[in-house]
Amino acid sequence: MTETDLRDEADSVLSRLVGKPEGEGRLREDQWRAVRALVEEGRRALVVQRTGWGKSAVYFVATALLRRRGRGPTVLVSPLLALMRDQVAAAARAGITARTINSANPEEWEEVHAEIAEGAVDVLLISPERLNNPQFRDGPLSELTASTGLLVVDEAHCISDWGHDFRPDYRRLRTVLAEMPAGVPVLATTATANSRVTADVAEQLGTGIDTSGTDSSEESAPLILRGTLERDSLSLGVLELPDAAHRLAWLADHLAELPGSGIVYTLTVSAAEEVAAFLRSRGYPVAAYTGRTEGADREAAEADLLANRVKALVATSALGMGFDKPDLGFVLHLGSPSSPIAYYQQVGRAGRGVDHAEVLLLPGKEDQAIWRYFASLAFPPEDQVRRTLGVLEEAPGPMSLPALEPQVDLRRGRLEMMLKVLDVDGAVRKVRGGWTSTGAPWTYDAERYAWIARQRETEQEAMREYARTSACRMEFLRRLLDDDHAAPCGRCDNCTAPRFSAEISEATLAAARGELHRPGVEVEPRKMWPTGLPSIGLELKGKIPETERTEAGRALGRLSDIGWGNRLRPMVAPQASDAPVPDDVLEAVVSVLTEWAKGPGGWASGEAEAPRRPVGVVGVESTSRPQLVRSLAERVAAIGRMPLLGNVATAYEAGVPPRSNSAQRVRTLEGAMQLPASTAEAVTQARGPVLLVDDYTETGWTLAVGGRLLRKAGAEAVLPLVLGIQS
């Protein structure tokens, strides 16, 4: 077959894929170069092209051509279920049978396995997490590795430490590549990668791609195709506003002016829910979309946006890769993402199939605090990693995450991420029943982890510069992403003029302030002890008895909120100076108490199950903010005309670090917290419910352990009251 015949065949497949009459579809030149390299030359390729360029067309056309030539099925590693749904539908249009194995369809796995064995599947879509599922890894994956005709890694920037959503399981692809027969083509695609990410992706995949941007003429050499990041339809802008209330009010006053329907991104889950609730109260059809949103609700929200039944989805980064709405009219950010890669990835959702789309950034003063929080979840220090490896080495068999967690000082999610990295590094292995040590030597690459931290700080500064620059914003962003073709766009607010006024109405600003400053968040009580406590010397397990449990409490606000969170974060930050509770904060706390008393379950609600009015106040002794907590307890007691009954004392052992997972936290608190005799006697004599006051709660265990002491001393009920809740 000549090259012309192959090109005609490829264009014919493309025509069916995009729904055009035979002969009217034609691959772009770089699409054709990639298809030819995969099908005719069996090469490995990395395609870095802007959103909407047609990367999926490359692997679907290549799949169809390879299958006609008797090659095995394509294995497509894809990060999101939404993306999988879209790709299955797209494949069907091209006459390609695509199936998926993911966490949402376990009832179909057996049927899909049978279809693969029969050769009836052209494309199998899997999540990167499937690669380390023992049942899949040791069964279907090993068979597919031997027979696959093409391996595709979609959204390949996820492999990188610099990706929009770092996924350790993506790094397991190196193992899959090493086990594949020689000559199997490999395609990695992404829309978002600077030179550093491109190099990292190539290294993680083991492709050996020449990241200089040149294409070797040798057929055995990998191919890299990197295009311009220019998006002619996007008009970028930045609007600086004084505070969160002004940003929320601006959005309520101007959302209707934004073209079509779109996405409003926030940095935290609570902010997304808060903003969506306010916009709905102002008459806008919007919905929140976060990692906390149930799967069915996510699908419904996506469908509503696709059908323009909502003006916007107010979303976290949970809505990103894979969501394809060609006529998306705008992307607006309330708060700046921490890197140009993340920002370009999100704004790339807009303007794919329309001539003009608005992209607007409303940065906030709280952005940097939120960046610092997420940065704190990076790869753990060496002593914690070594402790985990030691526990696994001494274990008689595999250890599950619940069994391992009490033995180490890491929360479940961070522990699992660390184990996945160690698995890829060969130090541990996931098997049926949990995790085991391989006994292989492992080196803690402190230099690399420190370098990663420094580079992330550099990218955060780049985003601050993006907001401040007076130069062309698209050119600035493209240069940050190492686009050699970057040039002034002629469309952004700096190239032309600001397209949006900062003007907002006083009525809307007042409503926004009222929404953000409305105090009061429920603090859910702990009802179960962490698993594994007996293994670390505490005979506590199962349900916490009702006679030892606190009631639902109240916080003034969430530390991640854009309302009270902005006021509270500086007060409880590690570097904050200690001072008595400010008057405005105390006033808000009093309003929380008032509403709590009258609301559902409150002591003034008249409900039969509600606790009686508190008869006294007990503070939690603070080692970091003694003035703040003591003054809060004293002033609440005075305003409520209740006695201050004393405090729950804390005596941490010298050198004991803060505990980050529940089991270790409870062990530390059980050894550190005690009720002084005077406080115990006062509580016993008070004969009623007590308020337990602290500065903030993160895990809920300080309140649970302190409340247990008070209940055992005779408190009828314990009602926790804190300034902030970390959630």
Side-chain angles (χ1 to χ4, degrees), residues 243-558:
D243 54 31
H246 280 80
R247 294 197 301 278
L248 188 57
W250 186 94
L251 184 59
D253 274 352
H254 295 274
L255 182 59
E257 300 170 16
L258 296 172
S261 55
I263 302 171
V264 176
Y265 278 111
T266 66
L267 298 185
T268 67
V269 171
S270 56
E273 294 171 347
E274 198 171 19
V275 171
F278 180 69
L279 291 176
R280 284 194 296 269
S281 74
R282 307 300 292 181
Y284 287 105
V286 300
Y289 188 110
T290 74
R292 210 152 55 194
T293 307
E294 293 292 337
D297 293 334
R298 284 195 190 195
E299 289 190 36
E302 291 172 15
D304 285 343
L305 183 58
L306 288 169
N308 297 314
R309 290 189 290 266
V310 293
K311 178 64 177 177
L313 294 186
V314 185
T316 62
S317 59
L319 179 65
M321 297 174 295
F323 182 76
D324 186 11
K325 177 177 168 60
D327 63 340
L328 196 75
F330 65 89
V331 169
L332 184 146
H333 281 78
L334 285 177
S336 175
S338 62
S339 80
I341 295 170
Y343 187 60
Y344 187 83
Q345 175 74 32
Q346 291 173 356
V347 303
R349 308 263 71 78
R352 295 184 179 189
V354 293
D355 293 335
H356 174 77
E358 291 289 347
V359 172
L360 190 61
L361 172 64
L362 277 62
K365 295 178 180 178
E366 70 275 10
D367 296 350
Q368 295 180 50
I370 295 171
W371 296 346
R372 283 194 298 271
Y373 170 74
F374 286 117
S376 72
L377 305 180
F379 197 73
E382 184 171 6
D383 61 336
Q384 292 179 315
V385 183
R386 296 291 178 194
R387 168 65 180 165
T388 305
L389 290 172
V391 171
L392 289 175
E393 287 171 3
E394 295 171 5
M399 292 190 71
S400 66
L401 284 173
L404 184 57
E405 188 179 11
Q407 305 291 329
V408 298
D409 189 15
L410 289 167
R411 291 187 186 176
R412 184 78 57 86
R414 199 174 180 204
L415 172 61
E416 184 175 22
M417 182 274 287
M418 181 191 74
L419 288 168
K420 288 177 177 180
V421 173
L422 293 174
D423 191 348
V424 174
D425 291 344
V428 304
R429 181 170 173 80
K430 188 176 184 182
V431 298
R432 294 187 182 185
W435 296 85
T436 62
S437 170
T438 64
W442 180 80
T443 301
Y444 187 88
D445 195 348
E447 184 176 347
R448 180 172 184 266
Y449 303 141
W451 183 81
I452 288 171
R454 290 193 300 271
Q455 295 305 313
R456 283 180 171 158
E457 290 173 0
T458 299
E459 296 197 342
Q460 291 171 6
E461 178 57 31
M463 285 307 300
R464 288 190 285 269
E465 279 294 318
Y466 171 80
R468 293 192 296 258
T469 188
S470 59
C472 170
R473 295 196 195 277
M474 178 60 85
E475 180 183 17
F476 188 91
L477 189 59
R478 289 171 65 189
R479 290 197 186 282
L480 289 175
L481 295 173
D482 299 317
D483 184 348
D484 293 336
H485 306 287
C489 70
R491 300 180 305 278
C492 71
D493 57 351
N494 286 339
C495 283
T496 55
R499 293 179 300 285
F500 296 100
S501 165
E503 187 176 326
I504 54 177
S505 69
E506 287 298 324
T508 308
L509 181 59
R513 284 174 172 158
E515 177 70 22
L516 295 180
H517 296 162
R518 181 179 296 116
V521 177
E522 183 173 303
V523 178
E524 294 186 11
R526 285 289 190 174
K527 297 181 180 180
M528 301 286 293
W529 291 115
T531 56
L533 286 178
S535 69
I536 55 174
L538 290 181
E539 293 305 318
L540 300 171
K541 58 184 178 180
K543 288 185 178 180
I544 301 175
E546 290 189 13
T547 55
E548 298 179 8
R549 188 190 303 168
T550 69
E551 303 296 317
R554 291 294 185 276
L556 178 53
R558 292 187 177 91

